[in-house]
Amino acid sequence: MKLTIKDKIGPRCIIKEDGQKIYDEIHGPLKNGETVTLDFNGVSQFASPFFNFAIGQLLKDIEEGELRRLLQIENLNETGKLVVERVIENAARYHGDRDYRKIVDDILEQQAREAG
């Protein structure tokens, strides 16, 4: 399966809602062991919220090694590759380490209370 991100989202991949759209399309095939290619040709801007939702949450139920084997990313510049790598590392730690997850969740909960 190959998705051309510019056709699905446009030249800017920034918001979590757009990341969720990609996640919704690729989660099933990846869970079934299919290779998925995300082609970022023509995408000029991106941000970690997009990648957190598109890729990071895949690690809830797909092992990191399996995700790295099945998910192919094309035409993403070096900065984008660094962002994706950071998202995968952080999500793998979050979903794989119960103590770390509790600390992060507690911090986010506290920030939400202070903002509200």
Side-chain angles (χ1 to χ4, degrees):
M1 169 184 192
K2 182 171 185 169
L3 284 182
T4 303
I5 301 301
K6 186 178 178 192
D7 292 346
K8 295 283 181 185
I9 305 298
R12 298 175 43 172
C13 296
I14 296 173
I15 61 174
K16 64 184 184 180
E17 290 82 4
D18 288 341
Q20 185 67 42
K21 290 176 192 173
I22 299 303
Y23 170 86
D24 290 342
E25 282 204 45
I26 66 175
H27 179 253
L30 288 168
K31 275 289 283 179
N32 292 331
E34 296 176 38
T35 299
V36 172
T37 301
L38 300 180
D39 185 352
F40 284 87
N41 188 39
V43 175
S44 57
Q45 292 181 310
F46 45 82
S48 58
F50 170 83
F51 288 120
N52 283 329
F53 277 77
I55 297 172
Q57 66 178 329
L58 292 167
L59 290 152
K60 284 187 293 190
D61 55 7
I62 299 172
E63 293 291 324
E64 181 182 359
E66 186 75 350
L67 181 64
R68 288 181 184 280
R69 185 177 71 78
L70 295 173
L71 183 64
Q72 307 297 312
I73 298 176
E74 296 179 347
N75 298 310
L76 190 59
N77 68 26
E78 288 306 311
T79 303
K81 290 176 185 174
L82 290 172
V83 173
V84 169
E85 187 58 34
R86 176 72 51 88
V87 164
I88 290 173
E89 288 173 3
N90 288 342
R93 183 168 182 201
Y94 177 83
H95 293 295
D97 182 337
R98 182 176 295 137
D99 293 334
Y100 180 77
R101 183 169 51 246
K102 178 164 179 15
I103 291 167
V104 171
D105 289 346
D106 289 349
I107 290 169
L108 293 174
E109 186 178 313
Q110 180 180 349
Q111 287 176 342
R113 280 195 308 268
E114 290 171 359

